[in-house]
Amino acid sequence: MPTSATMSPSATLPSRGSAAAALPSRESEPSPAFDVRSHLLSGQVIPAHPLALDASRKLSEKHQRALTRYYLASGAGGMAVGVHTTQFAIREHGLYAPVLELAAETADMVLRQDSRPFIKVAGLCGKTAQAVGEAQVARRFGYHAGLLSLGAYKEADDQTVLAHCRAVAEVIPLIGFYLQPAVGGRVFGYGFWREFARIPNVVAIKIAPFNRYQTIDVVRAVVESGRDDIALYTGNDDSIITDLLTRWEFTVDGRSAPVSRQIVGGLLGHWAAWTSKAVSLLSEVKAARELSRLDASWLTRTVAVTDANAALFDAANGFRGCIAGIHEVLRRQGLLPGIWCLDPEEGLSPGQAEEIDRIYRSYPSMNDDIFVKQNIDKWLK
């Protein structure tokens, strides 16, 4: 699996090449009228944006734009670009700035015609100099927040990592990122997240350790920090519905009544495919939260979503095919020309395509193939 790059910030700033040379350079700041915190706290579907490559493993701008248009048309409340699903290796290939620029430009064109709140999140990697440089690139292209990968600090103590986070937060509003170790993350304890929640410019945390104990650590840390303006987002693609429906309650400072929080939305690789159905799912979850009792059918749906994710993310093989699995669904829909990744060794695992066939048969209501078929021609223009 790819890991966080450790290149210098200057390595992230190439142009998109001859195919994009005619496009104007964009120098923009996020709109001050857009309330990032309120938007995140209201709960959004934020897909992790894949990278569209052609058979030569070069950026396919046509399909990259189509994906962005698909997410907007699906009703997503934002997108995350330059993250794990986009492939951390874009930095090594000089694609970080071009991919961020292309996604922002495409989204902005759509939103000029259909204005609505939509958050643009940029993935940030590397040691402090690189992450700050990437945050500056993201700001230049109008991104509202940065999702900070901490994979470059696998052996560092908490105080070193927290100092890094504070430095990046001075440049851009920060979304914390608890990434599972299987795909380049590391374990952080309750104490780390308690201190992280005290950084003023933190607006959200994506919780993606794929571990219930560690998920509880994050939620409890935020609750006990006293911050009620930090939005909690699931990145646990194996527990999406469970995370979203659970009311998390903790006793704080001996209070007689527990303090409760909810994980309000998702920033997910799983939601990079079948996105319109993800939007419908989150809407149903929000309605169910208002009821005094949950229907037991939600437990069955939880199993279905997790089963589907196991196929897409290649859980049987330690998630080696997780990016290629998402690509395969988008390829079948025509949104990608193929499943190619920057790393030629990265692709579907043996039997993974058959597993995706199985979930299509088992859970036909989960895919949005009809929606894509009805709109794909205009997205590809």
Side-chain angles (χ1 to χ4, degrees), residues 40 147 174-178 192-194 196-198 202-209 217-219 221-222 225 229-235 261 263-265 267:
L40 287 169
L147 180 70
L174 211 57
I175 298 176
F177 187 12
Y178 200 170
F192 172 85
W193 292 110
R194 174 76 178 260
F196 181 85
R198 289 173 170 161
V202 168
V203 293
I205 300 175
K206 169 180 172 171
I207 309 168
D217 280 345
V218 179
V219 182
V222 173
S225 75
D229 61 343
I230 294 176
L232 299 175
Y233 272 66
T234 182
R261 289 293 298 273
I263 294 175
V264 295
L267 198 167

PDB file of all heavy atoms in Angstrom, residues 40 147 174-178 192-194 196-198 202-209 217-219 221-222 225 229-235 261 263-265 267:
ATOM      1  N   LEU A  40     -20.097  21.277   8.545  1.00  0.00           N
ATOM      2  CA  LEU A  40     -19.628  19.966   8.980  1.00  0.00           C
ATOM      3  C   LEU A  40     -20.488  19.401  10.112  1.00  0.00           C
ATOM      4  O   LEU A  40     -20.815  18.209  10.121  1.00  0.00           O
ATOM      5  CB  LEU A  40     -18.170  20.066   9.424  1.00  0.00           C
ATOM      6  CG  LEU A  40     -17.141  20.233   8.307  1.00  0.00           C
ATOM      7  CD1 LEU A  40     -15.777  20.588   8.890  1.00  0.00           C
ATOM      8  CD2 LEU A  40     -17.036  18.979   7.450  1.00  0.00           C
ATOM      9  N   LEU A 147      -7.231  17.670   5.605  1.00  0.00           N
ATOM     10  CA  LEU A 147      -7.274  16.395   6.312  1.00  0.00           C
ATOM     11  C   LEU A 147      -5.832  15.935   6.499  1.00  0.00           C
ATOM     12  O   LEU A 147      -5.151  15.583   5.532  1.00  0.00           O
ATOM     13  CB  LEU A 147      -8.076  15.367   5.505  1.00  0.00           C
ATOM     14  CG  LEU A 147      -8.210  13.976   6.117  1.00  0.00           C
ATOM     15  CD1 LEU A 147      -9.110  14.014   7.344  1.00  0.00           C
ATOM     16  CD2 LEU A 147      -8.763  12.986   5.093  1.00  0.00           C
ATOM     17  N   LEU A 174      -8.266  22.532  10.313  1.00  0.00           N
ATOM     18  CA  LEU A 174      -7.735  21.179  10.312  1.00  0.00           C
ATOM     19  C   LEU A 174      -8.814  20.138  10.612  1.00  0.00           C
ATOM     20  O   LEU A 174      -9.656  20.320  11.489  1.00  0.00           O
ATOM     21  CB  LEU A 174      -6.642  21.083  11.379  1.00  0.00           C
ATOM     22  CG  LEU A 174      -5.490  20.119  11.139  1.00  0.00           C
ATOM     23  CD1 LEU A 174      -4.790  20.436   9.830  1.00  0.00           C
ATOM     24  CD2 LEU A 174      -4.510  20.210  12.312  1.00  0.00           C
ATOM     25  N   ILE A 175      -8.767  19.041   9.859  1.00  0.00           N
ATOM     26  CA  ILE A 175      -9.547  17.851  10.148  1.00  0.00           C
ATOM     27  C   ILE A 175      -8.566  16.766  10.560  1.00  0.00           C
ATOM     28  O   ILE A 175      -7.677  16.391   9.794  1.00  0.00           O
ATOM     29  CB  ILE A 175     -10.371  17.389   8.929  1.00  0.00           C
ATOM     30  CG1 ILE A 175     -11.374  18.477   8.517  1.00  0.00           C
ATOM     31  CG2 ILE A 175     -11.101  16.080   9.235  1.00  0.00           C
ATOM     32  CD1 ILE A 175     -12.171  18.142   7.264  1.00  0.00           C
ATOM     33  N   GLY A 176      -8.683  16.301  11.788  1.00  0.00           N
ATOM     34  CA  GLY A 176      -7.822  15.220  12.246  1.00  0.00           C
ATOM     35  C   GLY A 176      -8.128  13.932  11.510  1.00  0.00           C
ATOM     36  O   GLY A 176      -9.245  13.731  11.014  1.00  0.00           O
ATOM     37  N   PHE A 177      -7.155  13.040  11.462  1.00  0.00           N
ATOM     38  CA  PHE A 177      -7.288  11.831  10.653  1.00  0.00           C
ATOM     39  C   PHE A 177      -6.663  10.667  11.412  1.00  0.00           C
ATOM     40  O   PHE A 177      -5.449  10.576  11.531  1.00  0.00           O
ATOM     41  CB  PHE A 177      -6.578  12.063   9.310  1.00  0.00           C
ATOM     42  CG  PHE A 177      -6.766  10.974   8.277  1.00  0.00           C
ATOM     43  CD1 PHE A 177      -7.707   9.963   8.432  1.00  0.00           C
ATOM     44  CD2 PHE A 177      -5.999  10.981   7.127  1.00  0.00           C
ATOM     45  CE1 PHE A 177      -7.877   8.981   7.478  1.00  0.00           C
ATOM     46  CE2 PHE A 177      -6.156   9.998   6.153  1.00  0.00           C
ATOM     47  CZ  PHE A 177      -7.084   8.995   6.328  1.00  0.00           C
ATOM     48  N   TYR A 178      -7.530   9.786  11.925  1.00  0.00           N
ATOM     49  CA  TYR A 178      -7.054   8.578  12.589  1.00  0.00           C
ATOM     50  C   TYR A 178      -7.114   7.448  11.577  1.00  0.00           C
ATOM     51  O   TYR A 178      -8.128   6.784  11.426  1.00  0.00           O
ATOM     52  CB  TYR A 178      -7.919   8.269  13.808  1.00  0.00           C
ATOM     53  CG  TYR A 178      -7.277   7.348  14.825  1.00  0.00           C
ATOM     54  CD1 TYR A 178      -7.874   7.152  16.066  1.00  0.00           C
ATOM     55  CD2 TYR A 178      -6.089   6.678  14.573  1.00  0.00           C
ATOM     56  CE1 TYR A 178      -7.311   6.327  17.027  1.00  0.00           C
ATOM     57  CE2 TYR A 178      -5.514   5.847  15.512  1.00  0.00           C
ATOM     58  CZ  TYR A 178      -6.127   5.667  16.740  1.00  0.00           C
ATOM     59  OH  TYR A 178      -5.561   4.839  17.679  1.00  0.00           O
ATOM     60  N   PHE A 192      -3.597  11.723  23.336  1.00  0.00           N
ATOM     61  CA  PHE A 192      -3.258  12.476  22.128  1.00  0.00           C
ATOM     62  C   PHE A 192      -4.486  13.204  21.604  1.00  0.00           C
ATOM     63  O   PHE A 192      -4.429  14.406  21.294  1.00  0.00           O
ATOM     64  CB  PHE A 192      -2.697  11.545  21.045  1.00  0.00           C
ATOM     65  CG  PHE A 192      -2.517  12.240  19.715  1.00  0.00           C
ATOM     66  CD1 PHE A 192      -1.360  12.951  19.453  1.00  0.00           C
ATOM     67  CD2 PHE A 192      -3.512  12.211  18.740  1.00  0.00           C
ATOM     68  CE1 PHE A 192      -1.190  13.614  18.234  1.00  0.00           C
ATOM     69  CE2 PHE A 192      -3.357  12.865  17.526  1.00  0.00           C
ATOM     70  CZ  PHE A 192      -2.193  13.571  17.273  1.00  0.00           C
ATOM     71  N   TRP A 193      -5.590  12.500  21.492  1.00  0.00           N
ATOM     72  CA  TRP A 193      -6.783  13.121  20.897  1.00  0.00           C
ATOM     73  C   TRP A 193      -7.372  14.192  21.813  1.00  0.00           C
ATOM     74  O   TRP A 193      -7.958  15.168  21.336  1.00  0.00           O
ATOM     75  CB  TRP A 193      -7.809  12.043  20.547  1.00  0.00           C
ATOM     76  CG  TRP A 193      -7.328  11.170  19.433  1.00  0.00           C
ATOM     77  CD1 TRP A 193      -6.937   9.868  19.494  1.00  0.00           C
ATOM     78  CD2 TRP A 193      -7.123  11.585  18.075  1.00  0.00           C
ATOM     79  NE1 TRP A 193      -6.512   9.430  18.271  1.00  0.00           N
ATOM     80  CE2 TRP A 193      -6.615  10.460  17.380  1.00  0.00           C
ATOM     81  CE3 TRP A 193      -7.320  12.768  17.370  1.00  0.00           C
ATOM     82  CZ2 TRP A 193      -6.304  10.495  16.014  1.00  0.00           C
ATOM     83  CZ3 TRP A 193      -7.014  12.818  16.024  1.00  0.00           C
ATOM     84  CH2 TRP A 193      -6.506  11.693  15.353  1.00  0.00           C
ATOM     85  N   ARG A 194      -7.201  14.029  23.112  1.00  0.00           N
ATOM     86  CA  ARG A 194      -7.655  15.069  24.046  1.00  0.00           C
ATOM     87  C   ARG A 194      -6.885  16.366  23.793  1.00  0.00           C
ATOM     88  O   ARG A 194      -7.474  17.455  23.727  1.00  0.00           O
ATOM     89  CB  ARG A 194      -7.432  14.582  25.477  1.00  0.00           C
ATOM     90  CG  ARG A 194      -7.731  15.608  26.572  1.00  0.00           C
ATOM     91  CD  ARG A 194      -9.204  15.800  26.821  1.00  0.00           C
ATOM     92  NE  ARG A 194      -9.424  16.750  27.901  1.00  0.00           N
ATOM     93  CZ  ARG A 194      -9.722  16.410  29.165  1.00  0.00           C
ATOM     94  NH1 ARG A 194      -9.823  15.137  29.500  1.00  0.00           N
ATOM     95  NH2 ARG A 194      -9.928  17.329  30.075  1.00  0.00           N
ATOM     96  N   PHE A 196      -5.207  17.090  20.969  1.00  0.00           N
ATOM     97  CA  PHE A 196      -5.491  17.518  19.597  1.00  0.00           C
ATOM     98  C   PHE A 196      -6.776  18.347  19.552  1.00  0.00           C
ATOM     99  O   PHE A 196      -6.864  19.359  18.837  1.00  0.00           O
ATOM    100  CB  PHE A 196      -5.623  16.293  18.686  1.00  0.00           C
ATOM    101  CG  PHE A 196      -5.890  16.631  17.239  1.00  0.00           C
ATOM    102  CD1 PHE A 196      -4.843  16.920  16.370  1.00  0.00           C
ATOM    103  CD2 PHE A 196      -7.187  16.666  16.738  1.00  0.00           C
ATOM    104  CE1 PHE A 196      -5.084  17.231  15.040  1.00  0.00           C
ATOM    105  CE2 PHE A 196      -7.441  16.981  15.421  1.00  0.00           C
ATOM    106  CZ  PHE A 196      -6.385  17.269  14.564  1.00  0.00           C
ATOM    107  N   ALA A 197      -7.782  17.933  20.317  1.00  0.00           N
ATOM    108  CA  ALA A 197      -9.069  18.638  20.327  1.00  0.00           C
ATOM    109  C   ALA A 197      -8.957  20.038  20.906  1.00  0.00           C
ATOM    110  O   ALA A 197      -9.862  20.863  20.725  1.00  0.00           O
ATOM    111  CB  ALA A 197     -10.101  17.831  21.116  1.00  0.00           C
ATOM    112  N   ARG A 198      -7.865  20.336  21.564  1.00  0.00           N
ATOM    113  CA  ARG A 198      -7.674  21.665  22.138  1.00  0.00           C
ATOM    114  C   ARG A 198      -7.026  22.639  21.158  1.00  0.00           C
ATOM    115  O   ARG A 198      -6.840  23.807  21.489  1.00  0.00           O
ATOM    116  CB  ARG A 198      -6.827  21.556  23.409  1.00  0.00           C
ATOM    117  CG  ARG A 198      -7.583  20.893  24.562  1.00  0.00           C
ATOM    118  CD  ARG A 198      -6.692  20.636  25.748  1.00  0.00           C
ATOM    119  NE  ARG A 198      -7.472  20.219  26.922  1.00  0.00           N
ATOM    120  CZ  ARG A 198      -6.967  19.593  27.968  1.00  0.00           C
ATOM    121  NH1 ARG A 198      -5.669  19.336  28.002  1.00  0.00           N
ATOM    122  NH2 ARG A 198      -7.749  19.243  28.981  1.00  0.00           N
ATOM    123  N   VAL A 202      -8.995  23.297  14.840  1.00  0.00           N
ATOM    124  CA  VAL A 202      -9.522  21.983  14.470  1.00  0.00           C
ATOM    125  C   VAL A 202     -11.028  22.096  14.289  1.00  0.00           C
ATOM    126  O   VAL A 202     -11.740  22.588  15.164  1.00  0.00           O
ATOM    127  CB  VAL A 202      -9.191  20.926  15.543  1.00  0.00           C
ATOM    128  CG1 VAL A 202      -9.981  19.643  15.306  1.00  0.00           C
ATOM    129  CG2 VAL A 202      -7.697  20.627  15.546  1.00  0.00           C
ATOM    130  N   VAL A 203     -11.521  21.654  13.122  1.00  0.00           N
ATOM    131  CA  VAL A 203     -12.953  21.758  12.825  1.00  0.00           C
ATOM    132  C   VAL A 203     -13.644  20.403  12.824  1.00  0.00           C
ATOM    133  O   VAL A 203     -14.874  20.329  12.941  1.00  0.00           O
ATOM    134  CB  VAL A 203     -13.200  22.467  11.478  1.00  0.00           C
ATOM    135  CG1 VAL A 203     -12.777  23.928  11.551  1.00  0.00           C
ATOM    136  CG2 VAL A 203     -12.486  21.753  10.326  1.00  0.00           C
ATOM    137  N   ALA A 204     -12.879  19.321  12.667  1.00  0.00           N
ATOM    138  CA  ALA A 204     -13.482  17.987  12.611  1.00  0.00           C
ATOM    139  C   ALA A 204     -12.402  16.940  12.822  1.00  0.00           C
ATOM    140  O   ALA A 204     -11.202  17.232  12.771  1.00  0.00           O
ATOM    141  CB  ALA A 204     -14.176  17.760  11.263  1.00  0.00           C
ATOM    142  N   ILE A 205     -12.826  15.713  13.056  1.00  0.00           N
ATOM    143  CA  ILE A 205     -11.926  14.562  13.102  1.00  0.00           C
ATOM    144  C   ILE A 205     -12.566  13.428  12.316  1.00  0.00           C
ATOM    145  O   ILE A 205     -13.735  13.089  12.539  1.00  0.00           O
ATOM    146  CB  ILE A 205     -11.640  14.101  14.542  1.00  0.00           C
ATOM    147  CG1 ILE A 205     -10.977  15.222  15.349  1.00  0.00           C
ATOM    148  CG2 ILE A 205     -10.746  12.860  14.541  1.00  0.00           C
ATOM    149  CD1 ILE A 205     -10.782  14.882  16.818  1.00  0.00           C
ATOM    150  N   LYS A 206     -11.797  12.871  11.398  1.00  0.00           N
ATOM    151  CA  LYS A 206     -12.205  11.655  10.689  1.00  0.00           C
ATOM    152  C   LYS A 206     -11.650  10.471  11.464  1.00  0.00           C
ATOM    153  O   LYS A 206     -10.440  10.335  11.622  1.00  0.00           O
ATOM    154  CB  LYS A 206     -11.676  11.648   9.259  1.00  0.00           C
ATOM    155  CG  LYS A 206     -11.854  10.298   8.571  1.00  0.00           C
ATOM    156  CD  LYS A 206     -11.331  10.264   7.154  1.00  0.00           C
ATOM    157  CE  LYS A 206     -11.378   8.832   6.609  1.00  0.00           C
ATOM    158  NZ  LYS A 206     -11.093   8.753   5.172  1.00  0.00           N
ATOM    159  N   ILE A 207     -12.546   9.626  11.940  1.00  0.00           N
ATOM    160  CA  ILE A 207     -12.169   8.499  12.787  1.00  0.00           C
ATOM    161  C   ILE A 207     -12.150   7.234  11.926  1.00  0.00           C
ATOM    162  O   ILE A 207     -13.199   6.724  11.542  1.00  0.00           O
ATOM    163  CB  ILE A 207     -13.154   8.346  13.958  1.00  0.00           C
ATOM    164  CG1 ILE A 207     -13.337   9.685  14.683  1.00  0.00           C
ATOM    165  CG2 ILE A 207     -12.684   7.272  14.922  1.00  0.00           C
ATOM    166  CD1 ILE A 207     -14.492   9.699  15.664  1.00  0.00           C
ATOM    167  N   ALA A 208     -10.942   6.742  11.636  1.00  0.00           N
ATOM    168  CA  ALA A 208     -10.829   5.611  10.707  1.00  0.00           C
ATOM    169  C   ALA A 208      -9.810   4.569  11.158  1.00  0.00           C
ATOM    170  O   ALA A 208      -9.026   4.072  10.351  1.00  0.00           O
ATOM    171  CB  ALA A 208     -10.465   6.120   9.320  1.00  0.00           C
ATOM    172  N   PRO A 209      -9.809   4.189  12.444  1.00  0.00           N
ATOM    173  CA  PRO A 209      -8.867   3.157  12.855  1.00  0.00           C
ATOM    174  C   PRO A 209      -9.357   1.735  12.588  1.00  0.00           C
ATOM    175  O   PRO A 209      -8.608   0.783  12.764  1.00  0.00           O
ATOM    176  CB  PRO A 209      -8.735   3.399  14.358  1.00  0.00           C
ATOM    177  CG  PRO A 209     -10.066   3.923  14.755  1.00  0.00           C
ATOM    178  CD  PRO A 209     -10.524   4.770  13.598  1.00  0.00           C
ATOM    179  N   ASP A 217     -11.960   6.016  22.000  1.00  0.00           N
ATOM    180  CA  ASP A 217     -10.947   6.943  22.507  1.00  0.00           C
ATOM    181  C   ASP A 217     -11.131   8.341  21.933  1.00  0.00           C
ATOM    182  O   ASP A 217     -11.052   9.347  22.653  1.00  0.00           O
ATOM    183  CB  ASP A 217      -9.539   6.448  22.139  1.00  0.00           C
ATOM    184  CG  ASP A 217      -9.022   5.362  23.058  1.00  0.00           C
ATOM    185  OD1 ASP A 217      -9.601   5.177  24.148  1.00  0.00           O
ATOM    186  OD2 ASP A 217      -8.041   4.697  22.677  1.00  0.00           O
ATOM    187  N   VAL A 218     -11.355   8.420  20.627  1.00  0.00           N
ATOM    188  CA  VAL A 218     -11.469   9.726  19.971  1.00  0.00           C
ATOM    189  C   VAL A 218     -12.721  10.459  20.426  1.00  0.00           C
ATOM    190  O   VAL A 218     -12.674  11.644  20.794  1.00  0.00           O
ATOM    191  CB  VAL A 218     -11.463   9.579  18.434  1.00  0.00           C
ATOM    192  CG1 VAL A 218     -11.599  10.959  17.784  1.00  0.00           C
ATOM    193  CG2 VAL A 218     -10.198   8.895  17.944  1.00  0.00           C
ATOM    194  N   VAL A 219     -13.853   9.772  20.396  1.00  0.00           N
ATOM    195  CA  VAL A 219     -15.104  10.437  20.768  1.00  0.00           C
ATOM    196  C   VAL A 219     -15.053  10.891  22.220  1.00  0.00           C
ATOM    197  O   VAL A 219     -15.418  12.028  22.547  1.00  0.00           O
ATOM    198  CB  VAL A 219     -16.311   9.504  20.522  1.00  0.00           C
ATOM    199  CG1 VAL A 219     -17.609  10.238  20.864  1.00  0.00           C
ATOM    200  CG2 VAL A 219     -16.346   9.014  19.078  1.00  0.00           C
ATOM    201  N   ALA A 221     -12.431  11.563  24.003  1.00  0.00           N
ATOM    202  CA  ALA A 221     -11.460  12.646  24.146  1.00  0.00           C
ATOM    203  C   ALA A 221     -12.058  13.984  23.744  1.00  0.00           C
ATOM    204  O   ALA A 221     -11.843  15.005  24.416  1.00  0.00           O
ATOM    205  CB  ALA A 221     -10.224  12.349  23.303  1.00  0.00           C
ATOM    206  N   VAL A 222     -12.812  13.998  22.667  1.00  0.00           N
ATOM    207  CA  VAL A 222     -13.435  15.248  22.217  1.00  0.00           C
ATOM    208  C   VAL A 222     -14.490  15.701  23.223  1.00  0.00           C
ATOM    209  O   VAL A 222     -14.567  16.880  23.581  1.00  0.00           O
ATOM    210  CB  VAL A 222     -14.032  15.086  20.809  1.00  0.00           C
ATOM    211  CG1 VAL A 222     -14.821  16.329  20.411  1.00  0.00           C
ATOM    212  CG2 VAL A 222     -12.928  14.822  19.784  1.00  0.00           C
ATOM    213  N   SER A 225     -12.816  17.050  26.275  1.00  0.00           N
ATOM    214  CA  SER A 225     -12.072  18.290  26.039  1.00  0.00           C
ATOM    215  C   SER A 225     -12.954  19.521  26.218  1.00  0.00           C
ATOM    216  O   SER A 225     -12.458  20.634  26.330  1.00  0.00           O
ATOM    217  CB  SER A 225     -11.491  18.293  24.624  1.00  0.00           C
ATOM    218  OG  SER A 225     -12.509  18.547  23.660  1.00  0.00           O
ATOM    219  N   ASP A 229     -17.765  22.081  19.174  1.00  0.00           N
ATOM    220  CA  ASP A 229     -17.770  22.629  17.815  1.00  0.00           C
ATOM    221  C   ASP A 229     -16.872  21.829  16.872  1.00  0.00           C
ATOM    222  O   ASP A 229     -16.602  22.263  15.756  1.00  0.00           O
ATOM    223  CB  ASP A 229     -17.322  24.097  17.830  1.00  0.00           C
ATOM    224  CG  ASP A 229     -15.904  24.283  18.358  1.00  0.00           C
ATOM    225  OD1 ASP A 229     -15.381  23.352  19.017  1.00  0.00           O
ATOM    226  OD2 ASP A 229     -15.317  25.356  18.120  1.00  0.00           O
ATOM    227  N   ILE A 230     -16.405  20.670  17.322  1.00  0.00           N
ATOM    228  CA  ILE A 230     -15.626  19.784  16.469  1.00  0.00           C
ATOM    229  C   ILE A 230     -16.559  18.695  15.940  1.00  0.00           C
ATOM    230  O   ILE A 230     -17.148  17.939  16.724  1.00  0.00           O
ATOM    231  CB  ILE A 230     -14.449  19.152  17.231  1.00  0.00           C
ATOM    232  CG1 ILE A 230     -13.434  20.228  17.632  1.00  0.00           C
ATOM    233  CG2 ILE A 230     -13.773  18.075  16.384  1.00  0.00           C
ATOM    234  CD1 ILE A 230     -12.275  19.697  18.471  1.00  0.00           C
ATOM    235  N   ALA A 231     -16.705  18.617  14.632  1.00  0.00           N
ATOM    236  CA  ALA A 231     -17.579  17.618  14.020  1.00  0.00           C
ATOM    237  C   ALA A 231     -16.866  16.274  13.964  1.00  0.00           C
ATOM    238  O   ALA A 231     -15.693  16.204  13.604  1.00  0.00           O
ATOM    239  CB  ALA A 231     -17.986  18.062  12.617  1.00  0.00           C
ATOM    240  N   LEU A 232     -17.576  15.227  14.318  1.00  0.00           N
ATOM    241  CA  LEU A 232     -17.023  13.878  14.265  1.00  0.00           C
ATOM    242  C   LEU A 232     -17.544  13.171  13.020  1.00  0.00           C
ATOM    243  O   LEU A 232     -18.754  13.130  12.772  1.00  0.00           O
ATOM    244  CB  LEU A 232     -17.410  13.101  15.520  1.00  0.00           C
ATOM    245  CG  LEU A 232     -16.905  13.694  16.840  1.00  0.00           C
ATOM    246  CD1 LEU A 232     -17.440  12.909  18.018  1.00  0.00           C
ATOM    247  CD2 LEU A 232     -15.384  13.737  16.868  1.00  0.00           C
ATOM    248  N   TYR A 233     -16.614  12.625  12.256  1.00  0.00           N
ATOM    249  CA  TYR A 233     -16.950  11.950  10.995  1.00  0.00           C
ATOM    250  C   TYR A 233     -16.409  10.531  11.007  1.00  0.00           C
ATOM    251  O   TYR A 233     -15.280  10.290  11.438  1.00  0.00           O
ATOM    252  CB  TYR A 233     -16.373  12.726   9.798  1.00  0.00           C
ATOM    253  CG  TYR A 233     -17.326  13.789   9.317  1.00  0.00           C
ATOM    254  CD1 TYR A 233     -17.627  14.879  10.135  1.00  0.00           C
ATOM    255  CD2 TYR A 233     -17.963  13.691   8.088  1.00  0.00           C
ATOM    256  CE1 TYR A 233     -18.535  15.844   9.728  1.00  0.00           C
ATOM    257  CE2 TYR A 233     -18.868  14.649   7.673  1.00  0.00           C
ATOM    258  CZ  TYR A 233     -19.155  15.717   8.496  1.00  0.00           C
ATOM    259  OH  TYR A 233     -20.072  16.670   8.092  1.00  0.00           O
ATOM    260  N   THR A 234     -17.221   9.601  10.537  1.00  0.00           N
ATOM    261  CA  THR A 234     -16.734   8.237  10.431  1.00  0.00           C
ATOM    262  C   THR A 234     -15.866   8.073   9.194  1.00  0.00           C
ATOM    263  O   THR A 234     -16.191   8.566   8.115  1.00  0.00           O
ATOM    264  CB  THR A 234     -17.888   7.208  10.410  1.00  0.00           C
ATOM    265  OG1 THR A 234     -17.304   5.895  10.352  1.00  0.00           O
ATOM    266  CG2 THR A 234     -18.804   7.398   9.209  1.00  0.00           C
ATOM    267  N   GLY A 235     -14.756   7.384   9.420  1.00  0.00           N
ATOM    268  CA  GLY A 235     -13.936   6.894   8.325  1.00  0.00           C
ATOM    269  C   GLY A 235     -13.821   5.384   8.444  1.00  0.00           C
ATOM    270  O   GLY A 235     -13.065   4.748   7.719  1.00  0.00           O
ATOM    271  N   ARG A 261     -22.660  12.764  22.303  1.00  0.00           N
ATOM    272  CA  ARG A 261     -22.274  13.270  20.989  1.00  0.00           C
ATOM    273  C   ARG A 261     -22.669  12.239  19.949  1.00  0.00           C
ATOM    274  O   ARG A 261     -22.909  11.072  20.258  1.00  0.00           O
ATOM    275  CB  ARG A 261     -20.755  13.494  20.904  1.00  0.00           C
ATOM    276  CG  ARG A 261     -20.236  14.653  21.707  1.00  0.00           C
ATOM    277  CD  ARG A 261     -20.710  15.998  21.197  1.00  0.00           C
ATOM    278  NE  ARG A 261     -20.239  16.258  19.845  1.00  0.00           N
ATOM    279  CZ  ARG A 261     -19.065  16.815  19.539  1.00  0.00           C
ATOM    280  NH1 ARG A 261     -18.233  17.167  20.514  1.00  0.00           N
ATOM    281  NH2 ARG A 261     -18.723  17.045  18.296  1.00  0.00           N
ATOM    282  N   ILE A 263     -21.537  10.911  15.827  1.00  0.00           N
ATOM    283  CA  ILE A 263     -20.749  10.995  14.607  1.00  0.00           C
ATOM    284  C   ILE A 263     -21.736  11.393  13.515  1.00  0.00           C
ATOM    285  O   ILE A 263     -22.655  10.651  13.194  1.00  0.00           O
ATOM    286  CB  ILE A 263     -20.054   9.660  14.309  1.00  0.00           C
ATOM    287  CG1 ILE A 263     -19.016   9.373  15.398  1.00  0.00           C
ATOM    288  CG2 ILE A 263     -19.413   9.676  12.935  1.00  0.00           C
ATOM    289  CD1 ILE A 263     -18.337   8.022  15.279  1.00  0.00           C
ATOM    290  N   VAL A 264     -21.567  12.587  12.986  1.00  0.00           N
ATOM    291  CA  VAL A 264     -22.645  13.220  12.225  1.00  0.00           C
ATOM    292  C   VAL A 264     -22.636  12.904  10.731  1.00  0.00           C
ATOM    293  O   VAL A 264     -23.642  13.076  10.045  1.00  0.00           O
ATOM    294  CB  VAL A 264     -22.624  14.753  12.421  1.00  0.00           C
ATOM    295  CG1 VAL A 264     -22.923  15.110  13.868  1.00  0.00           C
ATOM    296  CG2 VAL A 264     -21.288  15.342  11.970  1.00  0.00           C
ATOM    297  N   GLY A 265     -21.500  12.496  10.206  1.00  0.00           N
ATOM    298  CA  GLY A 265     -21.421  12.241   8.770  1.00  0.00           C
ATOM    299  C   GLY A 265     -20.240  11.341   8.471  1.00  0.00           C
ATOM    300  O   GLY A 265     -19.623  10.764   9.373  1.00  0.00           O
ATOM    301  N   LEU A 267     -16.623  10.774   5.958  1.00  0.00           N
ATOM    302  CA  LEU A 267     -15.621  11.116   4.956  1.00  0.00           C
ATOM    303  C   LEU A 267     -14.959   9.785   4.621  1.00  0.00           C
ATOM    304  O   LEU A 267     -14.096   9.300   5.341  1.00  0.00           O
ATOM    305  CB  LEU A 267     -14.608  12.115   5.525  1.00  0.00           C
ATOM    306  CG  LEU A 267     -13.750  12.905   4.530  1.00  0.00           C
ATOM    307  CD1 LEU A 267     -13.047  14.065   5.207  1.00  0.00           C
ATOM    308  CD2 LEU A 267     -12.738  12.033   3.807  1.00  0.00           C
TER     309      LEU A 267
END
